[in-house]
Coordinates of all heavy atoms in Angstrom, one line a residue:
S21 N 0.8 -1.2 0.0 CA 0.0 0.0 0.0 C 0.9 1.2 0.0 O 2.1 1.2 0.3 CB -0.9 0.0 1.2 OG -0.2 0.2 2.4
D22 N 0.3 2.4 -0.3 CA 1.0 3.6 -0.3 C 1.5 4.0 1.1 O 2.7 4.5 1.2 CB 0.1 4.8 -0.8 CG -0.3 4.6 -2.2 OD1 0.4 3.9 -3.0 OD2 -1.3 5.2 -2.6
Q23 N 0.8 3.6 2.1 CA 1.2 3.9 3.5 C 2.4 3.1 3.9 O 3.3 3.6 4.5 CB 0.1 3.7 4.5 CG 0.4 4.0 5.9 CD 0.6 5.5 6.1 OE1 -0.2 6.3 5.6 NE2 1.6 5.9 6.8
A24 N 2.5 1.9 3.4 CA 3.6 1.0 3.8 C 4.9 1.6 3.1 O 6.0 1.6 3.7 CB 3.4 -0.4 3.3
V25 N 4.8 2.0 1.9 CA 5.9 2.6 1.1 C 6.4 3.8 1.8 O 7.6 4.1 2.1 CB 5.6 2.9 -0.3 CG1 6.7 3.6 -1.0 CG2 5.3 1.5 -1.1
Y26 N 5.4 4.7 2.2 CA 5.8 5.9 3.0 C 6.5 5.6 4.3 O 7.5 6.2 4.6 CB 4.5 6.7 3.3 CG 4.8 7.9 4.2 CD1 5.3 9.1 3.7 CD2 4.5 7.8 5.5 CE1 5.6 10.1 4.5 CE2 4.8 8.8 6.4 CZ 5.4 10.0 5.9 OH 5.7 11.1 6.7
N27 N 6.0 4.6 5.0 CA 6.6 4.2 6.3 C 8.1 3.7 6.1 O 9.0 4.1 6.9 CB 5.8 3.2 7.0 CG 4.5 3.7 7.5 OD1 4.3 4.9 7.6 ND2 3.5 2.8 7.8
W28 N 8.3 2.9 5.1 CA 9.6 2.4 4.8 C 10.6 3.6 4.4 O 11.7 3.7 4.9 CB 9.6 1.4 3.7 CG 9.2 0.0 4.1 CD1 8.0 -0.4 4.4 CD2 10.1 -1.1 4.3 NE1 8.0 -1.7 4.8 CE2 9.3 -2.2 4.7 CE3 11.5 -1.3 4.2 CZ2 9.8 -3.4 5.0 CZ3 12.0 -2.5 4.5 CH2 11.2 -3.6 4.9
A29 N 10.1 4.5 3.5 CA 10.9 5.6 3.1 C 11.2 6.5 4.3 O 12.4 7.0 4.5 CB 10.2 6.4 2.0
H30 N 10.2 6.7 5.2 CA 10.4 7.6 6.3 C 11.4 7.0 7.3 O 12.3 7.7 7.8 CB 9.1 7.8 7.0 CG 9.2 8.7 8.2 ND1 9.4 10.0 8.1 CD2 9.0 8.4 9.5 CE1 9.4 10.6 9.3 NE2 9.2 9.6 10.2
A31 N 11.3 5.7 7.5 CA 12.3 5.0 8.4 C 13.7 5.1 7.8 O 14.7 5.3 8.6 CB 11.9 3.5 8.6
W32 N 13.8 4.9 6.5 CA 15.1 5.0 5.8 C 15.8 6.4 6.0 O 16.9 6.6 6.4 CB 15.0 4.7 4.4 CG 16.3 4.9 3.6 CD1 16.6 6.1 2.9 CD2 17.3 4.0 3.4 NE1 17.9 5.9 2.3 CE2 18.3 4.6 2.6 CE3 17.5 2.7 3.8 CZ2 19.5 4.0 2.2 CZ3 18.7 2.1 3.5 CH2 19.7 2.7 2.7
R33 N 14.9 7.5 5.9 CA 15.4 8.8 6.0 C 15.9 9.1 7.5 O 16.8 9.8 7.7 CB 14.4 9.8 5.6 CG 14.3 10.1 4.1 CD 13.3 11.2 3.8 NE 12.1 10.7 4.4 CZ 10.9 10.6 3.7 NH1 10.9 10.9 2.4 NH2 9.9 10.1 4.2
I34 N 15.1 8.6 8.4 CA 15.4 8.9 9.9 C 16.5 8.1 10.4 O 17.4 8.6 11.0 CB 14.1 8.6 10.7 CG1 13.0 9.5 10.3 CG2 14.4 8.7 12.2 CD1 13.2 10.9 10.5
G35 N 16.6 6.7 10.1 CA 17.6 5.9 10.7 C 18.4 5.1 9.8 O 19.2 4.3 10.3
G36 N 18.3 5.2 8.5 CA 19.1 4.4 7.6 C 18.7 2.9 7.6 O 17.6 2.5 7.9
V37 N 19.7 2.1 7.3 CA 19.5 0.7 7.2 C 19.1 0.1 8.5 O 18.3 -0.8 8.6 CB 20.8 0.0 6.6 CG1 20.6 -1.5 6.7 CG2 21.1 0.4 5.3
C38 N 19.7 0.6 9.6 CA 19.3 0.0 10.9 C 17.9 0.2 11.3 O 17.3 -0.7 11.9 CB 20.2 0.7 12.0 SG 21.9 0.3 11.9
A39 N 17.3 1.3 10.8 CA 15.8 1.5 11.1 C 15.0 0.5 10.3 O 13.9 0.1 10.8 CB 15.4 2.9 10.7
L40 N 15.4 0.1 9.1 CA 14.7 -0.9 8.4 C 14.8 -2.3 8.9 O 14.0 -3.2 8.8 CB 15.2 -0.9 6.9 CG 14.9 0.3 6.1 CD1 15.5 0.2 4.7 CD2 13.4 0.7 6.1
M41 N 15.9 -2.6 9.6 CA 16.2 -3.9 10.2 C 15.6 -4.1 11.6 O 15.7 -5.1 12.2 CB 17.7 -4.2 10.2 CG 18.4 -4.0 8.9 SD 18.1 -5.3 7.8 CE 19.1 -6.6 8.5
G42 N 15.1 -3.0 12.2 CA 14.7 -3.0 13.6 C 13.5 -3.8 13.9 O 13.2 -4.2 15.1
G43 N 12.7 -4.2 13.0 CA 11.5 -5.1 13.3 C 10.2 -4.3 13.2 O 10.2 -3.1 12.9
H44 N 9.2 -5.0 13.5 CA 7.8 -4.4 13.4 C 7.4 -3.9 14.8 O 7.3 -4.6 15.8 CB 6.9 -5.5 13.0 CG 5.5 -5.1 12.9 ND1 5.1 -4.2 11.9 CD2 4.4 -5.4 13.6 CE1 3.8 -4.0 12.0 NE2 3.3 -4.7 13.0
N45 N 7.1 -2.6 14.8 CA 6.6 -2.0 16.1 C 5.2 -1.5 16.0 O 4.7 -0.9 16.9 CB 7.5 -0.8 16.4 CG 8.9 -1.2 16.8 OD1 9.1 -2.3 17.3 ND2 9.9 -0.4 16.5
G46 N 4.5 -1.8 14.9 CA 3.2 -1.3 14.7 C 2.1 -2.4 15.0 O 2.5 -3.4 15.6
G47 N 0.9 -2.1 14.7 CA -0.1 -3.1 14.8 C -0.9 -2.8 16.1 O -0.7 -1.9 16.9
R48 N -1.9 -3.7 16.3 CA -2.8 -3.6 17.4 C -2.1 -4.1 18.7 O -1.4 -5.0 18.7 CB -4.0 -4.5 17.1 CG -5.0 -4.5 18.2 CD -6.2 -5.4 17.7 NE -7.1 -5.6 18.8 CZ -8.0 -6.5 18.9 NH1 -8.1 -7.4 18.0 NH2 -8.8 -6.5 19.9
P49 N -2.3 -3.3 19.8 CA -1.7 -3.8 21.1 C -2.3 -5.1 21.5 O -3.5 -5.4 21.2 CB -2.1 -2.6 22.0 CG -3.0 -1.7 21.4 CD -3.1 -2.1 19.9
R50 N -1.6 -5.8 22.3 CA -2.1 -7.1 22.8 C -3.3 -6.9 23.8 O -3.3 -5.9 24.5 CB -1.0 -7.8 23.6 CG 0.1 -8.3 22.8 CD 1.1 -9.1 23.6 NE 2.0 -9.8 22.8 CZ 2.8 -10.7 23.2 NH1 2.9 -11.0 24.5 NH2 3.6 -11.4 22.4
A51 N -4.2 -7.9 23.7 CA -5.4 -7.8 24.6 C -5.0 -8.1 26.0 O -5.6 -7.6 26.9 CB -6.5 -8.7 24.0
L52 N -4.1 -9.0 26.2 CA -3.6 -9.4 27.5 C -2.2 -8.9 27.8 O -1.3 -9.2 27.0 CB -3.7 -11.0 27.7 CG -5.0 -11.6 27.7 CD1 -4.8 -13.1 27.7 CD2 -5.7 -11.2 29.0
S53 N -2.0 -8.3 28.9 CA -0.7 -7.8 29.3 C 0.1 -9.0 29.7 O -0.4 -10.1 30.0 CB -0.8 -6.8 30.4 OG -1.2 -7.4 31.6
D54 N 1.4 -8.8 29.8 CA 2.3 -9.8 30.2 C 2.1 -10.2 31.7 O 2.3 -11.4 32.1 CB 3.8 -9.4 30.0 CG 4.2 -9.3 28.6 OD1 3.6 -10.0 27.7 OD2 5.1 -8.5 28.3
D55 N 1.6 -9.2 32.5 CA 1.3 -9.5 33.9 C 0.2 -10.5 34.0 O 0.2 -11.4 34.8 CB 1.0 -8.2 34.6 CG 2.2 -7.3 34.7 OD1 3.4 -7.8 34.6 OD2 2.0 -6.1 34.8
V56 N -0.9 -10.3 33.2 CA -2.1 -11.1 33.3 C -1.7 -12.5 32.8 O -2.1 -13.5 33.4 CB -3.2 -10.5 32.4 CG1 -4.4 -11.5 32.4 CG2 -3.7 -9.2 33.0
V57 N -0.9 -12.6 31.8 CA -0.5 -14.0 31.3 C 0.4 -14.7 32.4 O 0.2 -15.9 32.6 CB 0.3 -13.8 30.0 CG1 0.9 -15.2 29.5 CG2 -0.6 -13.3 28.9
A58 N 1.2 -13.9 33.1 CA 2.1 -14.5 34.1 C 1.2 -15.0 35.3 O 1.5 -16.1 35.8 CB 3.1 -13.5 34.6
I59 N 0.2 -14.3 35.6 CA -0.7 -14.7 36.7 C -1.5 -16.0 36.2 O -1.6 -17.0 37.0 CB -1.8 -13.6 37.0 CG1 -1.1 -12.4 37.7 CG2 -2.9 -14.2 37.9 CD1 -1.9 -11.2 37.9
A60 N -1.9 -16.0 35.0 CA -2.6 -17.2 34.5 C -1.7 -18.4 34.4 O -2.1 -19.5 34.7 CB -3.2 -16.9 33.1
L61 N -0.4 -18.2 34.1 CA 0.5 -19.3 34.1 C 0.8 -19.9 35.5 O 0.9 -21.1 35.7 CB 1.9 -18.9 33.4 CG 1.8 -18.6 31.9 CD1 3.1 -18.0 31.5 CD2 1.6 -20.0 31.2
E62 N 0.9 -19.0 36.5 CA 1.1 -19.5 37.8 C -0.1 -20.3 38.3 O 0.1 -21.3 38.9 CB 1.2 -18.3 38.8 CG 2.6 -17.6 38.7 CD 2.6 -16.3 39.6 OE1 1.9 -16.3 40.6 OE2 3.4 -15.4 39.3
I63 N -1.3 -19.8 38.0 CA -2.5 -20.5 38.4 C -2.6 -21.9 37.6 O -2.9 -22.9 38.2 CB -3.8 -19.7 38.1 CG1 -3.8 -18.5 39.0 CG2 -5.0 -20.5 38.2 CD1 -4.8 -17.4 38.6
A64 N -2.3 -21.9 36.4 CA -2.3 -23.1 35.6 C -1.3 -24.2 36.0 O -1.6 -25.4 36.0 CB -2.1 -22.8 34.1
R65 N -0.2 -23.7 36.5 CA 0.9 -24.6 37.0 C 0.6 -25.2 38.3 O 1.1 -26.2 38.7 CB 2.2 -23.9 37.0 CG 2.8 -23.7 35.6 CD 4.2 -23.1 35.7 NE 4.7 -22.8 34.4 CZ 5.1 -21.6 34.0 NH1 5.0 -20.6 34.8 NH2 5.5 -21.4 32.7
A66 N -0.2 -24.5 39.1 CA -0.5 -24.9 40.5 C -1.3 -26.2 40.6 O -1.0 -27.0 41.4 CB -1.2 -23.8 41.3
E67 N -2.3 -26.3 39.8 CA -3.1 -27.5 39.8 C -3.9 -27.6 38.4 O -4.0 -26.6 37.7 CB -4.2 -27.4 40.9 CG -5.1 -26.2 40.9 CD -6.0 -26.2 42.1 OE1 -6.8 -27.1 42.2 OE2 -6.0 -25.2 42.8
P68 N -4.3 -28.8 38.1 CA -5.0 -29.0 36.8 C -6.4 -28.4 36.9 O -7.2 -28.8 37.7 CB -5.1 -30.5 36.7 CG -4.9 -31.1 38.0 CD -4.1 -30.1 38.8
L69 N -6.7 -27.4 36.1 CA -7.9 -26.7 36.0 C -8.4 -26.5 34.6 O -7.6 -26.6 33.6 CB -7.8 -25.3 36.6 CG -7.4 -25.2 38.1 CD1 -7.0 -23.7 38.4 CD2 -8.5 -25.7 39.0
T70 N -9.7 -26.3 34.4 CA -10.2 -26.0 33.1 C -9.9 -24.5 32.7 O -9.5 -23.7 33.6 CB -11.7 -26.2 33.0 OG1 -12.3 -25.3 33.8 CG2 -12.1 -27.7 33.3
L71 N -10.0 -24.2 31.5 CA -9.8 -22.8 31.1 C -10.7 -21.8 31.7 O -10.3 -20.8 32.1 CB -9.9 -22.7 29.5 CG -9.5 -21.4 28.9 CD1 -8.1 -20.9 29.3 CD2 -9.7 -21.4 27.4
V72 N -11.9 -22.2 31.9 CA -12.9 -21.4 32.6 C -12.5 -21.1 34.0 O -12.6 -20.0 34.6 CB -14.3 -22.0 32.5 CG1 -15.3 -21.2 33.3 CG2 -14.8 -22.1 31.1
Q73 N -12.0 -22.2 34.7 CA -11.6 -22.0 36.1 C -10.4 -21.1 36.2 O -10.3 -20.3 37.1 CB -11.3 -23.4 36.7 CG -12.5 -24.3 36.9 CD -12.2 -25.7 37.3 OE1 -11.1 -26.2 36.9 NE2 -13.1 -26.3 38.1
I74 N -9.5 -21.3 35.3 CA -8.3 -20.4 35.3 C -8.7 -19.0 35.1 O -8.2 -18.1 35.7 CB -7.3 -20.9 34.2 CG1 -6.7 -22.3 34.5 CG2 -6.2 -19.9 34.0 CD1 -5.9 -22.9 33.4
A75 N -9.6 -18.7 34.1 CA -10.1 -17.4 33.8 C -10.7 -16.8 35.1 O -10.5 -15.6 35.4 CB -11.0 -17.4 32.7
R76 N -11.5 -17.5 35.8 CA -12.2 -17.0 37.0 C -11.2 -16.7 38.1 O -11.3 -15.6 38.7 CB -13.2 -18.1 37.5 CG -14.4 -18.2 36.7 CD -15.4 -19.1 37.4 NE -16.5 -19.4 36.4 CZ -17.2 -20.5 36.3 NH1 -16.8 -21.5 37.1 NH2 -18.2 -20.6 35.5
R77 N -10.1 -17.5 38.2 CA -9.1 -17.2 39.2 C -8.3 -16.0 38.9 O -7.8 -15.3 39.7 CB -8.3 -18.4 39.5 CG -9.0 -19.6 40.2 CD -8.2 -20.6 40.7 NE -9.0 -21.7 41.2 CZ -8.5 -22.7 41.8 NH1 -7.2 -22.9 42.0 NH2 -9.3 -23.7 42.3
V78 N -8.0 -15.8 37.6 CA -7.3 -14.6 37.1 C -8.1 -13.4 37.4 O -7.6 -12.4 37.9 CB -6.9 -14.7 35.6 CG1 -6.4 -13.4 35.1 CG2 -5.9 -15.8 35.4
E79 N -9.4 -13.5 37.2 CA -10.3 -12.3 37.5 C -10.3 -12.0 38.9 O -10.3 -10.9 39.3 CB -11.7 -12.6 36.9 CG -11.8 -12.6 35.4 CD -13.2 -13.0 34.9 OE1 -14.0 -13.6 35.7 OE2 -13.4 -12.7 33.7
Q80 N -10.3 -13.1 39.8 CA -10.3 -12.9 41.2 C -9.0 -12.2 41.7 O -9.0 -11.4 42.5 CB -10.6 -14.2 42.0 CG -12.0 -14.7 41.8 CD -12.1 -16.1 42.4 OE1 -11.1 -16.8 42.8 NE2 -13.3 -16.6 42.4
A81 N -7.9 -12.7 41.1 CA -6.6 -12.2 41.5 C -6.5 -10.7 41.1 O -5.8 -9.9 41.8 CB -5.5 -13.0 40.8
Q82 N -7.1 -10.3 40.0 CA -7.0 -8.9 39.5 C -8.1 -8.1 40.0 O -8.1 -6.9 39.8 CB -6.9 -8.9 38.0 CG -5.6 -9.4 37.4 CD -5.5 -8.8 36.0 OE1 -6.4 -9.0 35.2 NE2 -4.4 -8.2 35.8
A83 N -9.2 -8.7 40.6 CA -10.4 -8.0 41.0 C -11.0 -7.2 39.9 O -11.6 -6.1 40.1 CB -10.0 -7.0 42.2
Q84 N -10.9 -7.7 38.7 CA -11.6 -7.2 37.5 C -11.8 -8.2 36.4 O -11.1 -9.2 36.5 CB -10.8 -6.0 37.0 CG -9.5 -6.3 36.4 CD -8.8 -5.0 35.9 OE1 -9.2 -3.9 36.1 NE2 -7.6 -5.2 35.3
A85 N -12.7 -8.0 35.5 CA -12.9 -8.9 34.5 C -11.8 -9.0 33.5 O -11.0 -8.0 33.3 CB -14.2 -8.6 33.7
L86 N -11.7 -10.1 32.8 CA -10.7 -10.2 31.7 C -11.0 -9.2 30.6 O -12.1 -9.0 30.3 CB -10.7 -11.6 31.1 CG -10.0 -12.7 31.8 CD1 -10.2 -14.0 31.1 CD2 -8.6 -12.5 32.1
P87 N -9.9 -8.5 30.1 CA -10.1 -7.5 29.0 C -10.3 -8.1 27.6 O -10.2 -7.4 26.7 CB -8.8 -6.7 29.1 CG -7.8 -7.7 29.5 CD -8.5 -8.6 30.5
C88 N -10.5 -9.4 27.6 CA -10.6 -10.1 26.3 C -11.5 -11.3 26.4 O -12.0 -11.6 27.5 CB -9.2 -10.5 25.8 SG -8.5 -11.7 26.9
K89 N -11.7 -12.0 25.3 CA -12.4 -13.3 25.3 C -11.6 -14.4 26.0 O -10.4 -14.3 26.0 CB -12.7 -13.7 23.8 CG -13.6 -12.8 23.1 CD -13.8 -13.4 21.7 CE -14.8 -12.5 20.9 NZ -14.9 -13.0 19.5
I90 N -12.3 -15.4 26.5 CA -11.6 -16.5 27.1 C -10.7 -17.3 26.2 O -9.7 -17.8 26.5 CB -12.6 -17.4 27.8 CG1 -11.9 -18.3 28.8 CG2 -13.5 -18.2 26.8 CD1 -12.9 -19.0 29.7
E91 N -11.1 -17.3 24.9 CA -10.3 -17.9 23.9 C -8.9 -17.3 23.7 O -7.9 -18.0 23.5 CB -11.0 -17.9 22.5 CG -12.2 -18.8 22.4 CD -13.5 -18.1 23.0 OE1 -13.4 -16.9 23.3 OE2 -14.5 -18.8 23.1
T92 N -8.8 -16.0 23.9 CA -7.5 -15.3 23.9 C -6.6 -15.7 25.0 O -5.4 -15.9 24.8 CB -7.8 -13.7 23.9 OG1 -8.7 -13.4 22.9 CG2 -6.5 -13.0 23.8
L93 N -7.2 -15.9 26.2 CA -6.4 -16.5 27.3 C -5.9 -17.9 27.0 O -4.8 -18.2 27.3 CB -7.3 -16.4 28.6 CG -6.6 -17.0 29.8 CD1 -5.4 -16.3 30.2 CD2 -7.6 -17.1 31.0
G94 N -6.8 -18.7 26.4 CA -6.4 -20.0 26.0 C -5.3 -20.0 25.0 O -4.4 -20.8 25.1
E95 N -5.3 -19.1 24.0 CA -4.2 -19.0 23.1 C -2.9 -18.6 23.7 O -1.9 -19.1 23.4 CB -4.6 -18.1 21.9 CG -5.7 -18.6 21.0 CD -5.3 -19.8 20.3 OE1 -4.1 -20.0 19.9 OE2 -6.2 -20.7 20.1
A96 N -3.0 -17.7 24.7 CA -1.8 -17.3 25.4 C -1.2 -18.4 26.2 O 0.0 -18.6 26.2 CB -2.1 -16.1 26.3
L97 N -2.0 -19.2 26.8 CA -1.6 -20.4 27.6 C -1.0 -21.5 26.6 O 0.0 -22.1 26.9 CB -2.7 -21.0 28.4 CG -3.1 -20.1 29.6 CD1 -4.3 -20.7 30.3 CD2 -2.0 -19.9 30.6
K98 N -1.6 -21.6 25.4 CA -1.1 -22.6 24.5 C 0.3 -22.2 24.0 O 1.2 -23.0 23.8 CB -2.0 -22.7 23.3 CG -3.3 -23.5 23.6 CD -4.2 -23.6 22.4 CE -5.5 -24.2 22.7 NZ -6.4 -24.2 21.5
R99 N 0.5 -20.9 23.8 CA 1.8 -20.4 23.4 C 2.9 -20.7 24.4 O 4.1 -20.9 24.1 CB 1.8 -18.9 23.1 CG 1.3 -18.6 21.7 CD 1.5 -17.1 21.4 NE 0.9 -16.2 22.3 CZ -0.3 -15.7 22.2 NH1 -1.1 -16.1 21.2 NH2 -0.8 -14.8 23.1
A100 N 2.4 -20.8 25.7 CA 3.4 -21.1 26.8 C 3.5 -22.6 27.0 O 4.3 -23.0 27.9 CB 2.9 -20.4 28.1
G101 N 2.8 -23.4 26.2 CA 3.0 -24.8 26.3 C 1.9 -25.6 26.9 O 2.0 -26.8 27.1
F102 N 0.9 -25.0 27.4 CA -0.3 -25.7 28.0 C -1.2 -26.2 26.9 O -1.4 -25.5 25.9 CB -1.0 -24.8 29.0 CG -0.2 -24.6 30.2 CD1 0.7 -23.5 30.4 CD2 -0.4 -25.4 31.3 CE1 1.4 -23.3 31.5 CE2 0.3 -25.2 32.5 CZ 1.2 -24.2 32.6
T103 N -1.9 -27.3 27.2 CA -2.9 -27.8 26.3 C -4.1 -28.1 27.2 O -4.1 -28.3 28.4 CB -2.4 -29.1 25.7 OG1 -2.1 -30.1 26.7 CG2 -1.2 -28.9 24.8
F104 N -5.3 -28.1 26.5 CA -6.5 -28.3 27.1 C -7.3 -29.5 26.4 O -7.2 -29.6 25.2 CB -7.4 -27.1 27.1 CG -6.7 -25.9 27.8 CD1 -6.0 -25.0 27.1 CD2 -6.8 -25.8 29.2 CE1 -5.4 -23.9 27.7 CE2 -6.2 -24.7 29.8 CZ -5.5 -23.8 29.1
K105 N -8.0 -30.2 27.2 CA -8.9 -31.2 26.7 C -10.4 -30.8 26.9 O -10.7 -30.2 27.9 CB -8.7 -32.6 27.4 CG -7.5 -33.3 26.9 CD -7.5 -34.7 27.6 CE -6.5 -35.6 27.1 NZ -6.5 -36.9 27.7
R106 N -11.2 -31.1 26.0 CA -12.6 -30.9 26.2 C -13.2 -32.1 27.0 O -12.8 -33.2 26.8 CB -13.4 -30.8 24.9 CG -13.2 -29.5 24.2 CD -14.0 -29.4 22.9 NE -15.1 -30.4 22.8 CZ -15.7 -30.5 21.6 NH1 -15.4 -29.8 20.6 NH2 -16.7 -31.4 21.6
N107 N -14.0 -31.8 28.0 CA -14.7 -32.8 28.7 C -15.8 -33.4 28.0 O -16.6 -32.7 27.3 CB -15.2 -32.2 30.1 CG -14.1 -31.8 31.0 OD1 -13.0 -32.4 30.9 ND2 -14.3 -30.9 31.8
R108 N -16.0 -34.7 28.0 CA -17.1 -35.3 27.4 C -18.0 -35.8 28.5 O -17.6 -36.4 29.5 CB -16.7 -36.6 26.6 CG -15.9 -36.2 25.4 CD -15.7 -37.4 24.6 NE -14.9 -37.1 23.4 CZ -14.5 -38.0 22.6 NH1 -14.7 -39.3 22.8 NH2 -13.8 -37.6 21.5
F109 N -19.3 -35.5 28.3 CA -20.3 -35.9 29.3 C -21.1 -37.1 28.6 O -21.9 -36.9 27.8 CB -21.2 -34.8 29.6 CG -20.5 -33.6 30.3 CD1 -20.2 -32.5 29.6 CD2 -20.1 -33.7 31.6 CE1 -19.6 -31.4 30.2 CE2 -19.5 -32.7 32.2 CZ -19.2 -31.5 31.5
S110 N -20.7 -38.3 29.0 CA -21.3 -39.5 28.4 C -21.5 -40.5 29.5 O -20.8 -40.5 30.5 CB -20.6 -40.0 27.3 OG -19.3 -40.4 27.7
L111 N -22.5 -41.4 29.4 CA -22.7 -42.4 30.4 C -21.7 -43.5 30.1 O -21.3 -43.8 29.0 CB -24.1 -42.9 30.2 CG -25.2 -41.9 30.5 CD1 -26.6 -42.5 30.2 CD2 -25.2 -41.5 31.9
K112 N -21.3 -44.2 31.2 CA -20.5 -45.4 31.1 C -21.3 -46.5 30.6 O -22.5 -46.7 30.9 CB -19.9 -45.7 32.4 CG -18.9 -44.7 33.0 CD -18.3 -45.2 34.2 CE -17.3 -44.2 34.8 NZ -16.7 -44.6 36.1
K113 N -20.7 -47.4 29.7 CA -21.4 -48.5 29.1 C -21.8 -49.5 30.2 O -22.9 -50.1 30.1 CB -20.5 -49.2 28.1 CG -20.3 -48.3 26.9 CD -19.6 -49.1 25.8 CE -19.4 -48.2 24.6 NZ -18.7 -48.9 23.5
S114 N -21.0 -49.7 31.2 CA -21.4 -50.6 32.3 C -22.6 -50.2 33.0 O -23.4 -51.0 33.4 CB -20.2 -50.9 33.2 OG -19.9 -49.7 33.9
A115 N -22.7 -48.9 33.2 CA -23.9 -48.4 34.0 C -25.2 -48.6 33.1 O -26.3 -48.8 33.6 CB -23.7 -46.9 34.3
M116 N -25.0 -48.4 31.8 CA -26.2 -48.6 30.9 C -26.6 -50.0 30.8 O -27.8 -50.3 30.8 CB -25.9 -48.0 29.5 CG -25.8 -46.5 29.5 SD -25.3 -45.8 27.9 CE -26.6 -46.5 26.9
N117 N -25.7 -50.9 30.7 CA -26.0 -52.4 30.6 C -26.7 -52.9 31.8 O -27.7 -53.7 31.7 CB -24.7 -53.2 30.3 CG -24.2 -52.9 29.0 OD1 -24.9 -52.5 28.1 ND2 -22.9 -53.2 28.8
G118 N -26.4 -52.5 33.0 CA -27.0 -53.0 34.2 C -28.4 -52.5 34.4 O -29.3 -53.2 34.9
S119 N -28.7 -51.3 33.9 CA -30.0 -50.7 34.2 C -31.0 -51.1 33.1 O -32.2 -51.0 33.3 CB -29.9 -49.2 34.2 OG -29.5 -48.7 32.9
S120 N -30.6 -51.6 32.0 CA -31.5 -52.0 30.9 C -32.1 -53.4 31.0 O -32.9 -53.8 30.3 CB -30.8 -51.8 29.5 OG -29.7 -52.7 29.4
R121 N -31.6 -54.2 31.9 CA -32.1 -55.5 32.1 C -33.3 -55.6 32.9 O -33.8 -55.1 33.7 CB -31.0 -56.4 32.7 CG -29.8 -56.6 31.8 CD -28.9 -57.5 32.4 NE -27.6 -57.4 31.7 CZ -26.7 -58.2 31.8 NH1 -26.7 -59.2 32.7 NH2 -25.6 -58.1 31.2

């Protein structure tokens, strides 16, 4: 786009080659701060919890609601190496066989 070309040319004029190699500093700010992610990681490491339980404990620790969707918290925890399983609510086969007779 025209804006991207302008930004590159402006960076070249201000800082030369080093300004072009500096990396990306633009874009949308993160929805979760590093502090909130650190709190969530501590809670997740303490005991096995679901994502909803982790989110509730983070909200309690901060005394305010999460500034994003719960999925965003899940993605931040996945980037840190945590995985989540969906719970299945199903009847056990042995319980069904005994009651049907």
Side-chain angles (χ1 to χ4, degrees):
S21 69
D22 293 339
Q23 185 64 45
V25 173
Y26 171 80
N27 291 343
W28 278 76
H30 181 71
W32 175 267
R33 279 185 301 238
I34 299 298
V37 174
C38 293
L40 297 177
M41 306 285 285
H44 179 68
N45 292 329
R48 181 178 175 198
R50 288 184 167 190
L52 288 174
S53 67
D54 291 336
D55 295 336
V56 174
V57 174
I59 291 170
L61 287 172
E62 287 178 23
I63 292 169
R65 286 186 184 120
E67 60 184 299
L69 299 170
T70 65
L71 184 57
V72 173
Q73 291 171 328
I74 294 169
R76 286 184 189 147
R77 291 193 183 184
V78 168
E79 288 174 345
Q80 290 171 353
Q82 287 200 308
Q84 64 182 5
L86 283 176
C88 62
K89 294 180 180 179
I90 194 168
E91 291 83 8
T92 306
L93 177 62
E95 289 299 320
L97 291 173
K98 283 180 188 176
R99 279 192 300 273
F102 285 89
T103 58
F104 300 95
K105 281 185 171 180
R106 282 183 19 190
N107 292 331
R108 289 190 183 172
F109 298 104
S110 61
L111 298 173
K112 292 183 180 178
K113 290 184 179 179
S114 61
M116 289 178 57
N117 289 339
S119 63
S120 64
R121 291 183 196 191

